[in-house]
Amino acid sequence: MEVRTYSVPGMHCAHCKDALEREISTVEGVHSVQAEPASKLVTISGLSLSDEALREAIEEAGYEAA
């Protein structure tokens, strides 16, 4: 199981958290997603995770990974 953490400075609230978790969870290989608005970190665990696909999902949700 891989774990990746991304800083998402634009995440401020529960709506942001839900949007990110919903979009990232659709990426192939993702097992779980935890977005934390307080720390502005998104932690993703799964198998054979693609950095490019994860960053695209973050952008699709309307945010940018730092």
Side-chain angles (χ1 to χ4, degrees):
M1 186 80 64
E2 295 177 56
V3 176
R4 296 192 186 214
T5 302
Y6 295 89
S7 173
V8 182
M11 176 175 42
H12 300 289
C13 63
H15 175 319
C16 301
K17 170 185 168 64
D18 292 343
L20 284 159
E21 289 180 348
R22 185 171 41 253
E23 193 64 41
I24 295 168
S25 68
T26 67
V27 175
E28 185 175 340
V30 171
H31 176 52
S32 69
V33 182
Q34 284 190 291
E36 296 295 332
S39 64
K40 303 195 183 313
L41 295 176
V42 178
T43 303
I44 304 154
S45 62
L47 299 172
S48 302
L49 297 173
S50 163
D51 181 65
E52 182 179 344
L54 295 172
R55 288 180 181 274
E56 285 177 11
I58 291 168
E59 287 181 19
E60 190 66 32
Y63 302 91
E64 186 175 328

